[in-house]
Amino acid sequence: HVQLVESGGGSVQAGGSLKLSCAASKEAFDSPCMGWFRQAPGKEREGVAAIDSDGSSIVADSMKGRFSISKDKSENTLYLQMNGLRPEDTAMYYCAADTWDCGITNQDDYKYWGQGTQVTVS
């Protein structure tokens, strides 16, 4: 049974930091690629960051220098470190896994999705 469970969201003031976690089942964690996506109210879901099985990663241009993605094999957990948060970062953040095309513009290719964790920046 494939599972992705996000945590770590919350409310934070502008300029603050949050670290999101995505606890994954082994099948999801060992897949070729895992990523983070977000969806703000009234907006389409957008890619945030992705990391492949070799550890190569990509971060959306608007978040470079502020967000970073990492994974811990010992914990089967994917992370998203978010620094310098802005009100426009307010969104539901989703963890996704399993695509051979590891990127942030191809969300339809990801096979598994978590339920999301809310991030609110004021």
Side-chain angles (χ1 to χ4, degrees):
H1 179 60
V2 176
Q3 278 192 313
L4 295 170
V5 181
E6 302 96 333
S7 62
S11 296
V12 64
Q13 291 188 337
S17 298
L18 283 174
K19 187 174 185 177
L20 305 184
S21 299
C22 174
S25 58
K26 193 176 190 309
E27 178 179 349
F29 190 83
D30 289 344
S31 66
C33 180
M34 297 186 74
W36 287 99
F37 295 81
R38 70 183 186 184
Q39 187 167 20
K43 294 188 176 181
E44 293 187 354
R45 190 164 58 188
E46 64 174 341
V48 175
I51 186 167
D52 68 16
S53 56
D54 292 329
S56 296
S57 63
I58 181 172
V59 178
D61 287 344
S62 63
M63 301 159 218
K64 279 181 182 175
R66 300 190 300 125
F67 291 11
S68 62
I69 187 171
S70 63
K71 51 195 296 189
D72 185 336
K73 186 175 176 62
S74 67
E75 298 289 336
N76 279 4
T77 301
L78 178 74
Y79 297 103
L80 182 68
Q81 177 67 48
M82 304 186 295
N83 301 324
L85 283 162
R86 306 166 181 168
E88 54 264 39
D89 294 318
T90 294
M92 184 72 79
Y93 283 73
Y94 298 92
C95 171
D98 203 355
T99 175
W100 285 102
D101 184 10
C102 198
I104 57 174
T105 60
N106 58 324
Q107 54 184 286
D108 290 344
D109 293 338
Y110 284 79
K111 189 174 180 180
Y112 304 114
W113 290 83
Q115 294 299 307
T117 186
Q118 178 68 39
V119 172
T120 302
V121 186
S122 59

